[in-house]
Amino acid sequence: MNIDDPAVDQRRLADLRASLTAGYAAQSARLRELTELTADTGDPGAAYDHSALVAATRTSIEQINGALRRIADGSYGVCEKCAVRIPVARLEALPHARFCVPCQSKQHG
């Protein structure tokens, strides 16, 4: 498979879009379920765990939305910092990646 073949790229993007859309739906459903679980058990640990799950789910939804926006506007797979193409292997492992590995390392380093 030639990764530079535009037809392959379009198929890959279509598959990725479908996968991200399904992930978005699943995370949105999870967020609704977590939001409905508002019963205060009096356990501060449970409240913290619940808040952490809600925050993580919201972050996941934001990341998926960002990837879908980048697919739509044609900037998907390009590092937002240095404008270098993000390697396919990284995008397969982390479909919502916004940065190449060197730039991501600088963000958190």
Side-chain angles (χ1 to χ4, degrees):
M1 174 167 60
N2 180 356
I3 63 170
D4 294 323
D5 180 349
V8 172
D9 284 344
Q10 290 306 311
R11 283 192 303 270
R12 184 180 296 127
L13 283 176
D15 290 346
L16 179 62
R17 187 179 297 114
S19 175
L20 287 168
T21 300
Y24 178 86
Q27 291 298 316
S28 294
R30 180 178 185 203
L31 183 59
R32 282 191 299 277
E33 290 171 5
L34 288 170
T35 303
E36 290 172 4
L37 296 174
T38 57
D40 184 8
T41 62
D43 179 1
Y48 176 80
D49 289 346
H50 182 264
S51 293
L53 285 172
V54 168
T57 302
R58 285 188 176 137
T59 297
S60 179
I61 289 170
E62 289 170 10
Q63 290 171 335
I64 291 169
N65 272 332
L68 288 168
R69 271 193 308 276
R70 289 188 300 280
I71 289 171
D73 71 19
S75 65
Y76 183 80
V78 177
C79 178
E80 291 181 5
K81 187 138 182 112
C82 70
V84 168
R85 288 191 59 80
I86 298 171
V88 171
R90 176 163 171 73
L91 293 172
E92 287 174 350
L94 193 66
H96 62 269
R98 296 171 41 214
F99 304 105
C100 64
V101 172
C103 289
Q104 183 69 46
S105 297
K106 291 175 190 171
Q107 290 280 105
H108 295 292

